[in-house]
Amino acid sequence: FVVCGLSLVAMLIDSLVFMRALSKDRKGSWIPFLIYCVLMGIWPGALLALGVPVSLMGEAFGITSIVFVSMFLIGYFSKRDLSTMGLIAYGLLVGYLLSALIFGVWYLISPTTFFLWDLIASLIMITFSMLMIGFDANRMNRSLDYGTATKNTALYYAFSFYGDFINIFLRVLYILLLSRNRR
């Protein structure tokens, strides 16, 4: 738990350093990106150490891969501007954060009903990440078409897609764990 906590703090700091390096169009932006990936890689290892079966992690990885590729292809090959998709995604995120405050208090009142909120929250976050993948893929394609890509454009999108993939993976794994434990 200590290693995961330290990893989380280091990831937050590193992501800020990474975004600053990207905004200044530095060549050394790869270093914070690689550090972030290594730190994020600690989490699946920690899940295995906690006893999550490898087969369940493989199942979650397969589902996440199918969802990711599907949304990427929809966004990348769409001829329409998908800005509305991004707006809806951010609306979901804001709604999730506001309702988390309410249900955080609700958990203190009735912990047994928290399971339903937790499941809904996971589905909302999966939907948010799916919409962001489609939106970012569409934006990436447009920036390539218009020639507005810089040296670090690919690195920015790799960072964004990696974060979305991990978010979906962890949420799908969590839902699969909940469904296995309920039987």
Side-chain angles (χ1 to χ4, degrees), residues 8-84:
L8 179 63
V9 171
M11 279 189 310
L12 293 173
I13 294 168
D14 186 58
S15 63
L16 294 174
V17 170
F18 175 70
M19 287 301 174
R20 185 161 186 206
L22 278 180
S23 69
K24 293 188 178 192
D25 205 23
R26 293 185 181 161
K27 291 181 181 178
S29 300
W30 280 95
I31 295 168
F33 176 71
L34 293 174
I35 291 171
Y36 182 84
C37 291
V38 168
L39 291 171
M40 184 62 86
I42 291 172
W43 288 86
L47 292 172
L48 288 173
L50 289 173
V52 175
V54 175
S55 61
L56 197 61
M57 289 183 75
E59 186 178 343
F61 182 80
I63 292 168
T64 304
S65 298
I66 291 168
V67 167
F68 182 88
V69 169
S70 300
M71 288 307 296
F72 181 86
L73 292 175
I74 289 169
Y76 189 81
F77 291 110
S78 176
K79 299 296 181 196
R80 301 186 69 204
D81 181 21
L82 299 181
S83 296
T84 307

Side-chain angles (χ1 to χ4, degrees), residues 5-181:
L6 292 174
S7 169
L8 179 63
V9 171
M11 279 189 310
L12 293 173
I13 294 168
D14 186 58
S15 63
L16 294 174
V17 170
F18 175 70
M19 287 301 174
R20 185 161 186 206
L22 278 180
S23 69
K24 293 188 178 192
D25 205 23
R26 293 185 181 161
K27 291 181 181 178
S29 300
W30 280 95
I31 295 168
F33 176 71
L34 293 174
I35 291 171
Y36 182 84
C37 291
V38 168
L39 291 171
M40 184 62 86
I42 291 172
W43 288 86
L47 292 172
L48 288 173
L50 289 173
V52 175
V54 175
S55 61
L56 197 61
M57 289 183 75
E59 186 178 343
F61 182 80
I63 292 168
T64 304
S65 298
I66 291 168
V67 167
F68 182 88
V69 169
S70 300
M71 288 307 296
F72 181 86
L73 292 175
I74 289 169
Y76 189 81
F77 291 110
S78 176
K79 299 296 181 196
R80 301 186 69 204
D81 181 21
L82 299 181
S83 296
T84 307
M85 185 183 285
L87 186 64
I88 292 169
Y90 284 119
L92 274 173
L93 182 62
V94 169
Y96 167 77
L97 293 173
L98 291 175
S99 62
L101 293 172
I102 294 168
F103 282 100
V105 173
W106 183 261
Y107 175 72
L108 297 173
I109 297 168
S110 176
T112 56
T113 59
F114 188 71
F115 169 75
L116 181 61
W117 156 247
D118 203 23
L119 183 62
I120 291 170
S122 290
L123 294 174
I124 289 171
M125 288 308 293
I126 288 171
T127 306
F128 164 74
S129 293
M130 287 172 57
L131 292 173
M132 287 307 297
I133 290 166
F135 171 67
D136 283 342
N138 185 262
R139 241 180 18 166
M140 181 182 70
N141 189 16
R142 290 190 181 283
S143 69
L144 292 173
D145 285 346
Y146 297 138
T148 58
T150 65
K151 290 185 269 181
N152 289 329
T153 300
L155 194 56
Y156 166 76
Y157 284 114
F159 179 76
S160 178
F161 290 137
Y162 182 68
D164 289 335
F165 186 89
I166 294 296
N167 186 26
I168 293 173
F169 172 74
L170 290 175
R171 294 294 178 157
V172 167
L173 182 62
Y174 180 68
I175 291 171
L176 290 174
L177 280 169
L178 287 177
S179 68
R180 295 291 195 281
N181 290 338

